[in-house]
Amino acid sequence: MYLSKTHSLALLIAVARASRFLNHPSRVLRRNPPTPSAYPLGDACGHEWQYLNFNPDDDTDEAHLRTLHDIICGDEMRAISSYGQFSAQDVLAPYKRYFPESDEEDDFQTHVKDVLGLIAGMSDTDGAIGSIVGTFVVDNLDFGANDGDGTNCAEEGTLAYTLTDQLDKREKIHFCDPSWTRGSAGDVDCASLDPYPSTKMDSFSRIALHEMMHYSSVGPQTSLKEQIVDVKNEDLQPAYDPPRVHGLLDPAQDDNPAPTEINADSYAWMSLDAWISRKCSKDAEGNDWASFFTQNPPPYEHED
Ligand SMILES: [Zn+2]
């Protein structure tokens, strides 16, 4: 068969186009779910997480983007997770308030140290948070609402969640409105605190650390080798906040030490406890800061 030069060129282009599509069938077949991007308001820092469905021209979205950028790039997340990591490594008071010491059955200290070390980053040389954080995606859409059974912001008391979106198959974090009112850990007024850790010192970074713990690439990929979930106290309410997180371990309350190492809020509050102790301690000698809080949280109130 004869083809004119023009025709054969057109055919070549058509073949080239077809093969390009064949290399990326998902782009043709799917209804193009948006792709996460780097920080939309400026330069991303090393290993900064990715963003989806934020409108940088909207004032609220812009403020949220800055908060998310600042806790990773302004070092708050790195500081908090590092102090949690040190506390586990040296078995300091903040660690012992929420986690058991290692025994012949389980090396709790190493598991907790490894999980928090994954977030903090292993190397001091580049000053960046752990590279795993760069694989996380924050979605500004309440995407859990798309999934019939999924957690979403309409559930009372939900601050944030981490789920695989059934539409784009990505594992993502979404922060609900109430989480944005939590401030920076750096702004916590040390003089206002009780002699025990409490929600008075809560911060947005504590919520963010809690959510990162849930990623399937965190717990299962470390020496822990298990997914980090939300464990329940004896009264079947989730072990959230210092009294309940401590109560899970406390021999006088739940006396249930084993699941502390798979409870997201145990990691988040232990790390915040450690960093606030360091920040507020007047005595920075050695590890003396770790005894800043002189008491454990009071017993949690049982739900009947
Ligand atoms: Zn959780």
Side-chain angles (χ1 to χ4, degrees), residues 35-93:
T35 312
S37 76
Y39 184 52
L41 298 177
D43 291 338
C45 64
H47 311 154
E48 181 170 354
W49 45 21
Q50 301 165 53
Y51 302 88
L52 196 58
N53 294 314
F54 286 88
N55 175 6
D57 299 325
D58 176 272
D59 288 350
T60 304
D61 284 13
E62 188 192 337
H64 293 174
L65 281 166
R66 290 193 192 284
T67 298
L68 291 164
H69 174 76
D70 288 352
I71 60 163
I72 301 297
C73 302
D75 250 14
E76 181 166 325
M77 186 61 75
R78 190 155 196 256
I80 289 174
S81 50
S82 299
Y83 272 89
Q85 184 189 3
F86 301 151
S87 291
Q89 184 179 293
D90 291 354
V91 206
L92 303 178

Side-chain angles (χ1 to χ4, degrees), residues 160-162 210-211 214 228-230 240 264-265:
Y161 57 84
T162 305
H210 174 120
E211 294 310 321
H214 285 318
I228 299 175
V229 296
D230 294 317
Y240 291 152
D265 230 22

